Amino acid sequence: MEQRRLGETNFWINPVGLGCMGFSHAYGKAVEKNEAIKTIRAAYEEVGYNFFDTAECYTGENIDGTISYNEELVGEALKPVRDKVIIATKFGVKHNPDKSLKLDSNPDTIRKSIDGSLKRLGIENIDLYYQHRIDPKVEPEEVAEVMKDLIKEGKIKSWGISEANEEYLRRAHKVCPVTAIENRYSMAARWHANIFPVCEELKITFVAFSPMANGLLTGAVNKDTKFTAEGDYRKDMPQFTESGMAKAQELLDLLNKLASEKNATPAQISLAWMICEKDFIIPIPGSRKLHRLKENFGAGNIKLSAQELADINAKLDTMELEVFGGHSAK
């Protein structure tokens, strides 16, 4: 499996990373601590993942009512292999009770956040530190200055921006070079493709979160699937409504056809599509199940030709989809 360089750093990572959020956040009750740690560690030892993504705000409730901190799970799981993996985490977001986001990228807040994340992860420095969302109250130059200081202090090795737009990215990059952006991207959510030319120009990695549209493109969800667990955000997502599933059927049929032709699964095709599309894209699908982690990782070995990609994209251009996070694919 051919590795990809993370921005202009010396980090080389496999083409599929692991989004660890689901172990403790947004998908119902948190996974039991020891089970989560065992699965995350197995993702490295048994599968080959070497890029792990978490965030300060990824918290959830354990079965016993205590709080599960995702960073603590990731840090404990990867402690024995710390020098062999790349760990990314994020600052600047808190979740309000109504699931809305509270944004805070004030320099003083960032200082508190980095120290908290280092402690929870149990590490001396963070490989990739993202601004989780743009804070309209703080200029990009001000955030970038703090990142520059944190790099000089040895607390972080590189930094990135999640849900970045071109203007913000360029302004921040001038002050302190940005290594990666982390934006929503999938066959069903392609609106951030307009920033690809900037990534190519500035040699910035595009880390794709929700690369399978929160599970829509895995083939494991259908119109009869119900998300009833408390804290499972998917029950409020438009792609899982009756209307959303109906509109997605053409895309699901396309994935099934391609999967059959490539002796793969729909999930693998949806990931291989973006991996083959650009050599600077790294998807970070997440799952709580080791067999799914193995399946997702295998997408890095699937090849799609330029003609196959062109044919897929031509079909996607004709589809109108209902998806969480923004515009339809059409």
Side-chain angles (χ1 to χ4, degrees), residues 62-201:
N62 293 309
I63 294 176
D64 62 5
T66 58
I67 300 298
S68 173
Y69 294 94
N70 201 262
E71 287 179 324
E72 291 181 351
L73 301 178
V74 172
E76 182 65 24
L78 301 178
K79 186 176 181 180
V81 294
R82 173 66 187 102
D83 61 336
K84 296 179 175 64
V85 297
I86 306 303
I87 296 176
T89 191
K90 313 178 193 74
F91 68 87
V93 162
K94 292 189 184 303
H95 291 275
N96 294 315
D98 65 354
K99 299 180 185 177
S100 63
L101 303 182
K102 179 181 179 181
L103 309 180
D104 186 356
S105 289
N106 181 281
D108 290 338
T109 301
I110 298 174
R111 288 283 180 181
K112 293 175 183 176
S113 292
I114 184 68
D115 290 339
S117 288
L118 288 170
K119 183 177 180 180
R120 284 185 293 273
L121 286 163
I123 58 181
E124 294 183 354
N125 47 52
I126 291 165
D127 300 312
L128 177 58
Y129 197 41
Y130 289 108
Q131 181 183 18
H132 204 156
R133 290 290 185 275
I134 291 172
D135 182 350
K137 303 183 300 298
V138 183
E139 298 297 328
E141 291 83 2
E142 190 172 7
V143 175
E145 284 289 353
V146 179
M147 296 301 105
K148 183 189 291 187
D149 290 342
L150 293 179
I151 291 172
K152 288 179 181 177
E153 294 165 18
K155 291 187 175 182
I156 68 174
K157 295 182 179 179
S158 65
W159 82 291
I161 306 163
S162 185
E163 293 286 5
N165 60 57
E166 179 175 353
E167 179 190 1
Y168 192 95
L169 177 58
R170 286 189 182 279
R171 288 173 61 186
H173 187 78
K174 285 182 180 180
V175 176
C176 183
V178 175
T179 290
I181 61 171
E182 182 178 309
N183 286 13
R184 184 182 301 275
Y185 190 62
S186 72
M187 280 183 161
R190 297 187 296 150
W191 50 85
H192 284 303
N194 61 7
I195 206 168
F196 287 170
V198 184
C199 291
E200 290 183 288
E201 175 192 342

Side-chain angles (χ1 to χ4, degrees), residues 26-46:
Y27 289 87
K29 294 290 185 182
V31 177
E32 190 275 326
K33 179 180 179 181
N34 291 330
E35 181 185 346
I37 290 171
K38 180 181 178 181
T39 303
I40 295 170
R41 187 173 298 167
Y44 169 79
E45 293 179 340
E46 299 180 28

Side-chain angles (χ1 to χ4, degrees), residues 266-319:
Q268 289 175 329
I269 294 298
S270 66
L271 296 172
W273 165 77
M274 65 179 69
I275 293 169
C276 296
E277 187 177 28
K278 298 290 182 182
D279 62 6
F280 54 79
I281 296 179
I282 298 174
I284 51 167
S287 178
R288 298 178 168 194
K289 300 174 182 178
L290 187 58
H291 74 276
R292 288 290 186 191
L293 299 184
K294 291 178 179 178
E295 176 187 347
N296 294 342
F297 192 75
N301 291 319
I302 296 173
K303 302 299 181 184
L304 295 171
S305 69
Q307 186 59 55
E308 287 173 321
L309 290 171
D311 291 343
I312 293 169
N313 288 333
K315 289 186 174 79
L316 293 177
D317 286 340
T318 69
M319 298 179 189

